[in-house]
Amino acid sequence: MRTIHYKIKRFDGKREWYQDYQLQYEKGKTILWALTAIREQLDPTLVFTSACRHAICGSCAIKVNGKSFLACKTSLDEVLETFKSDYLVFEPLSNFEVIKDLAIAWEPKMEKMKQVKPWLIPSNKGSVERGFIQSEDDFHEISSPTDCILCGVCTSECNQLAVNDGTYLDPFILNRAYRFSVDSRDCAPEEHIRPVYENELWKCIHCMQCISSCPKGIPLTDEIAYLRQESIKMGEVNNQGAKHAFAFYDDVRNKGRLNETMLPIKTDGLLKTATTKIPFALRMIKKGKINPFHMPKAIEGIKGVKEIYKYAEEVKHS
Amino acid sequence: MFKYDVVVVGAGGAGMMAALYASKDPSLKVAVLSKIFPTRSHTGAAQGGINAAMGYRDNSDSAEKHFRDTVKGSDFLADQDAVEFFTTHMPELISELDYMGVPFSRDKNGKVAQRPFGGASSPRTCYSADKTGHVILHALYEQCLKNNVRFHNDWYLLSLAVDNGHFEGLVAMDIRTAKVHAIQAKAVVIATGGYGRVYWSRTTNAINMTGDGTAACFDIGIPLKDPEFVQFHPTGLASTGVLLSEACRGEGGYLINKDGERFMARYAPDKMELGPRDLVSRSIETEIKEGRGFGDGMGSYVLMDLRHLGEEKIMERLPQVRELAMDFEGVDLVKEPVPIRPSCHYMMGGIHIVDHKTCATPIEGIHAAGECCAVSIHGANRLGGNSVADVVLFGKYAGQGAQQSAKKRSFTSTAKLELEKIKWTEKFDLIRKKKTGINMFEIRDKMAETMWYNVGIFRTEDEMKQAYYTIEDLLEQFKDAFIGDSSESYNMAFINYVEISNLLKLAKAVTLGAINRKESRGSHSRGDYPTRDDENFLKHTLIYNEGEYYRLEYSPVTITKYQPEERKY
Ligand SMILES: Cc1cc2nc3c(=O)[nH]c(=O)nc-3n(C[C@H](O)[C@H](O)[C@H](O)COP(=O)(O)OP(=O)(O)OC[C@H]3O[C@@H](n4cnc5c(N)ncnc54)[C@H](O)[C@@H]3O)c2cc1C
Ligand code: FES
């Protein structure tokens, strides 16, 4: 009989530890199935959150072997196949405050989200009594961004948030800002966009992790590119946001911390380039030589890494 | 002690709508309690849509037609004054949701798009692709953020305190700290959703749909109305109950038993798989019962085969369904048939509402809205798309009703409230420190199995009586339940314990209501009484909880316009 070994990160408010569990292998199960089986058969003290079990409520995201997944939607077989191992490590999402075991707190994130006014600021073309007229095309603009289920996978995977002091807005917050700024029924896009560039919009490092992990396939990085374009249009070349372009490299230098997935840009050459050439790079951006609005397509695995390399090279040679 | 004018329990469609309306009066202090983070609520699972006679797609549609369809769908058990109120006010509510920012799909003219739905004589279901509930839930949450609505997330309602008919407040546990709090309030809106989890693994409902608010009202003497009416959906995924859309049958999927037969030929030779939901559900269960299913016990199933449609058609017409089957059952429809089985989908019954305009219950200050209660607009059977509508519309009126109650009432004494708090604090301590006993999850699974087989899709006197004794026995065993977690904070096992206790109470009421309704009406289908009996049963069941004894009463159905006639489609 095949046994799958689970190592789960526990936290009781004070103490942190890893605990081992074993379950018999069963075909066609999900990560959420494993969590539930562990809790109901082996250890009722294990805390995790889930509700709908079909990828719509956003409760169940966790990290498995360092990568963030929606537990209910992720097949155990695929995970075992991907990691080529029967040993799995479950941890709470990164970049969140942990309450207990795998349960995280969303309230601080919602406070942060409020900055972008995540609600419709209705234009005077509509009314409570009659609603709005909105074209099919205009609906399509907001269709994909309203798929967001607030699962937190993008935040957990975000390499900027990993080094940032907390000012940088989580990808799902950028998505909300985008969603309202492009809604034809909204009369004040700048109200949603201004807080975005005032909060380090330019620090997105194009690592593409958010978009390649989003369980709903929301084109987050295209949205970021759009928000950047809009903020430049709003005359924000000289504002704080634009000055922070490439400041990510500063963060890395100051904190000396970098996620493994970002290893490719941890080459000496690039770091040197970044530190010596930031002012230059900024001038280049203004002249349109390197394009911070261009985001590589989300390509998973090694191809994605190559893209990042390419981008780093562009910066270096500009 | 916390003190609010209005407390809303539940942050789904009904709860958030109620909170938004109750807090329109700035002089009132309002708070929302939710056992899960608001946007996790099950309203988000609704895909199909929300009914309102906008007349955008078919200008001959009207609130009147929506009224008639709903009454007919209810098998004439709905209260017609409430239904008329509901269908008349729905169109303005859709505009209001639009104004709040709900991203509705649009038609060519830029109006909210509408689609046809089962039981509707005109295409009147407004929708947003296949995520209608999700976008409504998020828009309501955004409005709550905008209006600074106060949330207590991860707070669990334990009980309501009522002394001599006077509502004092409620007792809740802050799940994170496991501290039991008394909350004094002038008015409360219960909006805790359905209780499909009495069938545990055989439901399309989220795992937290355990009827806590319904049980809390039941415990303080508010009757449970029509609990025997349970809607089943024929195509839940076999292992989880996750809903596969009706479209699979619509597009021509076959239902196959263990012998490879398209068994619907036996039950509906003309319509085959396209027979109505209840007939298809009953047919599948008959196959399983008679040994022609796959697997065994609660894990039994039949297969739905779509392969003959070909990859192209599947990809074009049923991409979502394919993805669901792949993600949640590990099956690619293009290559293999998918295991399915009927699943409990919706509870028509719930907390007894006495005034649909304020959603008041018999106890002053206590209001309820959403799936937890019965207004009743669904009667014996709910139409698709009428629930999300019910939830937001009556959420609004419950919020207004609670606002009026809060203005009318003053804070009462808190003697009973404090006793309740002590009771729960002691109970928590006792239960978590218990070292041995019967595994609570086993009790839960036994309950589900009993309910599924004996008070499920087929019902007969003998089997239901058997179930009744089993549930009573399980309630007895539950007194010795063991939760296996002594944690002083974030003790989810204790929360599950209270949830299971609520489910058991409600399961007993469903069974009692079903045994005593000696007819077949809407979703309640009895082998021993196969026809509707208006003479004796055109009335609502009301079950009162008097300690461990349940008392049964009946109350008349309000009929204003449509006299009962045979329900034929
Ligand atoms: C898969 C699926 C698809 C559906 N599709 C449709 C559809 O297309 N159209 C349609 O009209 N209907 C549909 N329905 C039905 C409809 O979605 C529900 O009936 C409706 O959304 C219920 O809303 P609610 O506000 O009453 O409760 P919910 O949205 O379930 O909210 C309940 C709230 O109560 C809180 N709560 C519960 N217990 C406690 C407690 N003890 N303490 C504190 N808080 C508590 C929860 O945290 C939650 O916030 C569907 C249902 C399912 C299962
Ligand atoms: S449980 Fe709802 S998204 Fe996974």
Side-chain angles (χ1 to χ4, degrees):
Chain A
M1 265 276 205
R2 182 171 168 197
T3 302
I4 309 298
H5 303 259
Y6 301 88
K7 193 182 267 302
I8 302 187
K9 187 170 186 185
R10 309 285 312 262
F11 172 62
D12 65 3
K14 295 180 202 93
R15 210 163 55 91
E16 260 182 27
W17 72 101
Y18 283 87
Q19 195 157 338
D20 294 317
Y21 302 96
Q22 278 121 44
L23 288 174
Q24 295 301 329
Y25 168 79
E26 284 188 41
K27 186 178 169 285
K29 299 295 184 188
T30 59
I31 299 291
L32 182 60
W33 169 85
L35 283 167
T36 309
I38 289 170
R39 184 160 187 275
E40 294 196 355
Q41 293 162 29
L42 305 172
D43 185 359
T45 70
L46 178 68
V47 171
F48 60 88
T49 49
S50 74
C52 71
R53 86 258 177 271
H54 64 273
I56 193 66
C57 77
S59 317
C60 67
I62 61 162
K63 277 196 310 187
V64 179
N65 291 9
K67 280 291 283 177
S68 314
F69 297 102
L70 212 51
C72 67
K73 190 184 155 84
T74 305
S75 134
L76 200 52
D77 291 313
E78 263 174 53
V79 166
L80 296 170
E81 172 60 26
T82 305
F83 293 109
K84 299 265 179 291
S85 164
D86 285 355
Y87 290 79
L88 298 177
V89 182
F90 290 178
E91 293 166 308
L93 292 185
S94 293
N95 304 327
F96 278 92
E97 178 193 317
V98 179
I99 308 170
K100 190 173 183 182
D101 299 342
L102 303 172
I104 53 172
W106 274 86
E107 292 73 16
K109 297 290 187 192
M110 294 299 104
E111 277 311 308
K112 200 174 166 190
M113 189 165 89
K114 271 187 175 181
Q115 294 178 83
V116 303
K117 303 204 172 140
W119 46 76
L120 190 79
I121 306 177
S123 80
N124 59 14
K125 292 202 190 93
S127 67
V128 193
E129 295 77 28
R130 325 223 10 210
F132 280 95
I133 298 288
Q134 181 173 50
S135 72
E136 286 178 278
D137 286 347
D138 284 339
F139 162 72
H140 287 299
E141 292 288 317
I142 54 172
S143 177
S144 167
T146 50
D147 280 343
C148 174
I149 56 173
L150 294 179
C151 66
V153 163
C154 56
T155 288
S156 180
E157 292 293 307
C158 176
N159 285 299
Q160 173 54 254
L161 284 169
V163 293
N164 193 266
D165 63 4
T167 311
Y168 182 71
L169 299 176
D170 304 53
F172 69 83
I173 300 181
L174 298 174
N175 172 63
R176 284 279 151 153
Y178 173 82
R179 174 249 174 280
F180 286 106
S181 71
V182 299
D183 193 322
S184 65
R185 299 168 297 176
D186 194 286
C187 66
E190 65 286 354
E191 298 275 311
H192 310 293
I193 296 177
R194 188 177 314 112
V196 168
Y197 64 67
E198 284 173 359
N199 288 287
E200 310 185 333
L201 168 65
W202 297 83
K203 283 193 176 181
C204 163
I205 58 161
H206 300 206
C207 74
M208 312 307 282
Q209 292 302 314
C210 56
I211 181 171
S212 30
S213 328
C214 173
K216 295 286 165 183
I218 298 171
L220 290 153
T221 45
D222 291 350
E223 297 179 5
I224 293 172
Y226 172 87
L227 290 168
R228 286 180 172 177
Q229 253 151 359
E230 287 305 294
S231 61
I232 292 286
K233 276 193 209 149
M234 284 162 65
E236 295 305 326
V237 191
N238 287 319
N239 93 332
Q240 272 232 313
K243 281 192 202 135
H244 274 138
F246 303 102
F248 166 73
Y249 304 123
D250 280 342
D251 286 351
V252 174
R253 197 191 48 205
N254 296 339
K255 299 199 177 158
R257 218 155 34 97
L258 197 56
N259 193 303
E260 298 89 67
T261 51
M262 285 306 295
L263 270 179
I265 57 164
K266 204 179 170 188
T267 59
D268 278 348
L270 178 61
L271 274 187
K272 231 194 283 158
T273 315
T275 50
T276 55
K277 292 204 173 163
I278 281 176
F280 176 62
L282 209 88
R283 258 178 283 138
M284 287 292 112
I285 292 175
K286 275 197 206 160
K287 287 188 188 156
K289 286 253 168 91
I290 49 175
N291 187 358
F293 309 120
H294 166 75
M295 295 284 178
K297 286 222 162 51
I299 308 170
E300 280 172 50
I302 189 67
K303 283 195 195 142
V305 173
K306 274 193 196 141
E307 285 284 338
I308 294 170
Y309 238 137
K310 218 172 87 197
Y311 178 69
E313 288 293 309
E314 272 174 34
V315 175
K316 204 155 103 184
H317 295 126
S318 54
Chain B
M1 187 180 297
F2 286 87
K3 203 167 166 175
Y4 293 108
D5 295 294
V6 178
V7 175
V8 177
V9 186
M16 290 204 277
M17 199 69 183
L20 286 169
Y21 268 86
S23 54
K24 287 213 164 169
D25 180 340
S27 71
L28 296 180
K29 227 176 127 196
V30 179
V32 183
L33 259 55
S34 179
K35 68 175 173 179
I36 50 178
F37 185 75
T39 60
R40 316 293 179 221
S41 302
H42 207 52
T43 291
Q47 306 177 345
I50 171 168
N51 295 343
M54 312 302 288
Y56 292 154
R57 171 140 172 213
D58 167 9
N59 63 17
S60 78
D61 196 17
S62 63
E64 184 65 35
K65 278 171 79 181
H66 187 190
F67 174 19
R68 195 170 57 221
D69 291 344
T70 303
V71 170
K72 184 176 168 199
S74 81
D75 221 349
F76 297 90
L77 198 70
D79 288 321
Q80 297 185 9
D81 53 346
V83 178
E84 189 166 17
F85 178 82
F86 163 69
T87 62
T88 311
H89 286 92
M90 267 319 291
E92 63 203 43
L93 195 80
I94 295 294
S95 298
E96 191 176 343
L97 292 174
D98 186 2
Y99 197 69
M100 283 181 182
V102 171
F104 284 112
S105 292
R106 301 283 162 165
D107 64 17
K108 296 264 174 300
N109 304 318
K111 301 252 174 84
V112 172
Q114 298 191 277
R115 58 164 60 127
F117 238 49
S121 56
S122 277
R124 72 169 69 93
T125 305
C126 307
Y127 61 94
S128 176
D130 57 356
K131 53 174 181 186
T132 315
H134 165 74
V135 295
I136 291 177
L137 185 70
H138 279 251
L140 291 175
Y141 182 62
E142 288 157 0
Q143 291 299 310
C144 288
L145 286 178
K146 176 179 173 190
N147 291 293
N148 287 312
V149 170
R150 163 123 207 221
F151 285 100
H152 290 284
N153 297 332
D154 293 344
W155 278 47
Y156 183 92
L157 167 75
L158 292 166
S159 64
L160 298 162
V162 174
D163 191 21
N164 249 329
H166 297 291
F167 169 64
E168 293 183 357
L170 47 124
V171 176
M173 177 180 268
D174 174 353
I175 299 176
R176 297 180 190 179
T177 61
K179 202 168 154 11
V180 176
H181 293 282
I183 306 172
Q184 200 184 3
K186 290 184 195 158
V188 68
V189 178
I190 302 294
T192 49
Y195 45 99
R197 283 278 159 175
V198 295
Y199 297 91
W200 199 255
S201 57
R202 289 263 41 95
T203 175
T204 61
N205 286 196
I207 55 153
N208 55 307
M209 305 317 300
T210 54
D212 305 334
T214 308
C217 287
F218 189 48
D219 282 345
I220 50 161
I222 298 175
L224 200 55
K225 188 196 280 172
D226 297 331
E228 63 271 30
F229 293 104
V230 178
Q231 187 172 72
F232 294 92
H233 198 289
T235 53
L237 286 175
S239 58
T240 55
V242 165
L243 181 71
L244 279 196
S245 145
E246 200 110 327
C248 316
R249 289 188 293 125
E251 293 294 342
Y254 296 157
L255 291 171
I256 308 282
N257 66 14
K258 168 171 108 188
D259 306 325
E261 276 179 290
R262 271 180 80 187
F263 57 82
M264 284 309 296
R266 239 191 307 287
Y267 310 94
D270 294 334
K271 291 208 143 182
M272 296 294 283
E273 283 84 359
L274 296 176
R277 273 187 196 181
D278 53 341
L279 175 67
V280 177
S281 293
R282 276 198 296 278
S283 310
I284 296 173
E285 284 306 304
T286 307
E287 291 297 300
I288 289 173
K289 220 172 186 169
E290 293 177 357
R292 290 186 298 276
F294 299 83
D296 38 45
M298 290 296 272
S300 309
Y301 57 88
V302 299
L303 293 175
M304 182 160 62
D305 196 347
L306 292 156
R307 287 174 300 180
H308 59 282
L309 299 179
E311 178 160 1
E312 203 174 309
K313 194 157 173 195
I314 293 178
M315 297 302 288
E316 184 197 309
R317 304 269 178 87
L318 301 164
Q320 309 282 354
V321 171
R322 177 172 181 239
E323 196 178 319
L324 281 174
M326 206 119 82
D327 287 343
F328 304 110
E329 197 76 33
V331 166
D332 182 354
L333 291 174
V334 172
K335 298 192 188 114
E336 288 168 88
V338 59
I340 56 111
R341 193 171 189 189
S343 304
C344 160
H345 190 49
Y346 183 84
M347 292 297 186
M348 270 71 73
I351 303 164
H352 177 42
I353 298 296
V354 293
D355 176 3
H356 60 265
K357 293 198 184 92
T358 58
C359 296
T361 68
I363 298 181
E364 198 189 32
I366 303 181
H367 301 250
E371 194 176 335
C372 65
C373 70
V375 168
S376 144
I377 59 164
H378 308 302
N381 178 50
R382 168 185 76 99
L383 293 186
N386 259 358
S387 174
V388 175
D390 163 5
V391 156
V392 278
L393 186 101
F394 288 105
K396 167 174 170 175
Y397 288 98
Q400 286 178 353
Q403 186 187 341
Q404 289 156 19
S405 286
K407 299 215 124 171
K408 202 157 72 188
R409 300 185 74 229
S410 34
F411 286 112
T412 61
S413 102
T414 55
K416 185 73 204 283
L417 184 58
E418 273 162 73
L419 280 179
E420 273 299 293
K421 178 184 160 182
I422 294 168
K423 187 190 97 184
W424 280 106
T425 312
E426 289 176 354
K427 183 159 187 168
F428 175 54
D429 253 14
L430 197 76
I431 300 294
R432 78 183 170 87
K433 287 182 183 153
K434 202 165 174 304
K435 295 246 158 34
T436 56
I438 305 170
N439 181 326
M440 64 171 170
F441 296 125
E442 279 168 24
I443 297 180
R444 176 197 73 195
D445 292 346
K446 183 85 183 109
M447 165 191 72
E449 195 177 335
T450 305
M451 292 302 288
W452 181 254
Y453 284 110
N454 294 355
V455 202
I457 288 168
F458 295 111
R459 297 174 172 187
T460 58
E461 179 105 10
D462 288 351
E463 287 185 337
M464 288 194 286
K465 282 201 164 140
Q466 195 53 51
Y468 191 78
Y469 298 130
T470 308
I471 300 290
E472 291 229 291
D473 182 43
L474 291 173
L475 275 160
E476 202 51 41
Q477 288 183 34
F478 196 73
K479 291 178 181 159
D480 187 30
F482 172 61
I483 70 167
D485 186 357
S486 61
S487 314
E488 282 173 80
S489 68
Y490 218 133
N491 191 319
M492 269 317 280
F494 180 73
I495 297 297
N496 295 155
Y497 167 86
V498 185
E499 289 176 335
I500 296 170
S501 142
N502 290 335
L503 288 174
L504 282 166
K505 270 181 221 163
L506 296 172
K508 183 170 149 181
V510 170
T511 311
L512 189 66
I515 292 174
N516 285 283
R517 185 171 285 277
K518 296 183 163 77
E519 64 160 351
S520 290
R521 180 187 298 271
S523 69
H524 174 67
S525 157
R526 288 191 57 155
D528 42 2
Y529 299 95
T531 52
R532 198 174 81 193
D533 175 0
D534 286 335
E535 201 166 316
N536 294 303
F537 287 102
L538 183 57
K539 57 190 182 184
H540 295 296
T541 304
L542 291 178
I543 298 179
Y544 291 82
N545 182 0
E546 297 180 342
E548 286 180 15
Y549 171 74
Y550 287 10
R551 181 166 56 84
L552 207 79
E553 268 185 22
Y554 290 95
S555 75
V557 173
T558 309
I559 294 172
T560 55
K561 257 193 185 145
Y562 299 106
Q563 289 307 317
E565 53 182 53
E566 197 189 342
R567 186 167 152 257
K568 266 202 301 222
Y569 286 104

